Amino acid sequence: GDELFDADAVFPGATWAGSRFVRAWGVLSSWLTELAKEVLLRGNQIQCAMDEEGRPAHKGRRDLLVELLASRMPGECSFLTRRFHQLVFALGVHQALPSVAEGDLWDLLAAFLLQAVLRCDTRRGVLEPNPYTERVLQHQVHAAAKRLGLTAAELEGLAAVLPEGARAKAEA
């Protein structure tokens, strides 16, 4: 009997079988709509309900997106909660979301987006520079990238999806 049951089995198609970088890049690209980039770079306010009442699939994805991303926010970043929620409500949900089984991908994307919010708000002068929080988020990004098997070059490729003002400043 034991060979009939695999405790680690996942429904076929529930997780991505291809390149982890391609998966992360595709999800991030589909999420970062022009509206999301505006909210990220300029701190624009948007209507949270955003005309999704007539689109139950979009509303369901948005609710799940908020839950899965916000639950990954470290306590040290709680001061970013309002801005992070503004960004998450602006992300595109026209594509299916990654499976909840893709926890490492969710971890990476949440830390990556939080890092972008921190950088943009610091550059706009809304926040004082916060090297400690930047290091916490950098550690989370690198830890998730390592679990996904992403290289430093692939992380740079992901950063290229972000609007220029949200990327790390080039080292001199």
Side-chain angles (χ1 to χ4, degrees), residues 93-128:
V93 291
H94 52 283
Q95 300 284 329
L97 297 177
S99 164
V100 294
E102 294 177 88
D104 293 336
L105 177 61
W106 283 101
D107 291 346
L108 175 69
L109 295 173
F112 208 70
L113 291 171
L114 270 167
Q115 200 174 44
V117 168
L118 179 64
R119 286 180 182 144
C120 287
D121 285 4
T122 302
R123 289 185 182 145
R124 281 189 9 248
V126 177
L127 293 175
E128 292 292 318

Side-chain angles (χ1 to χ4, degrees), residues 63-134:
D63 292 346
L64 185 61
L65 185 66
V66 169
E67 183 179 332
L68 290 173
L69 289 176
S71 68
R72 287 170 161 78
M73 180 180 289
E76 298 93 340
C77 299
S78 60
F79 67 96
L80 294 172
T81 300
R82 186 182 59 76
R83 279 282 292 133
F84 190 59
H85 274 88
Q86 286 174 345
L87 174 61
V88 172
F89 277 110
L91 295 176
V93 291
H94 52 283
Q95 300 284 329
L97 297 177
S99 164
V100 294
E102 294 177 88
D104 293 336
L105 177 61
W106 283 101
D107 291 346
L108 175 69
L109 295 173
F112 208 70
L113 291 171
L114 270 167
Q115 200 174 44
V117 168
L118 179 64
R119 286 180 182 144
C120 287
D121 285 4
T122 302
R123 289 185 182 145
R124 281 189 9 248
V126 177
L127 293 175
E128 292 292 318
N130 190 329
Y132 173 74
T133 304
E134 183 71 41

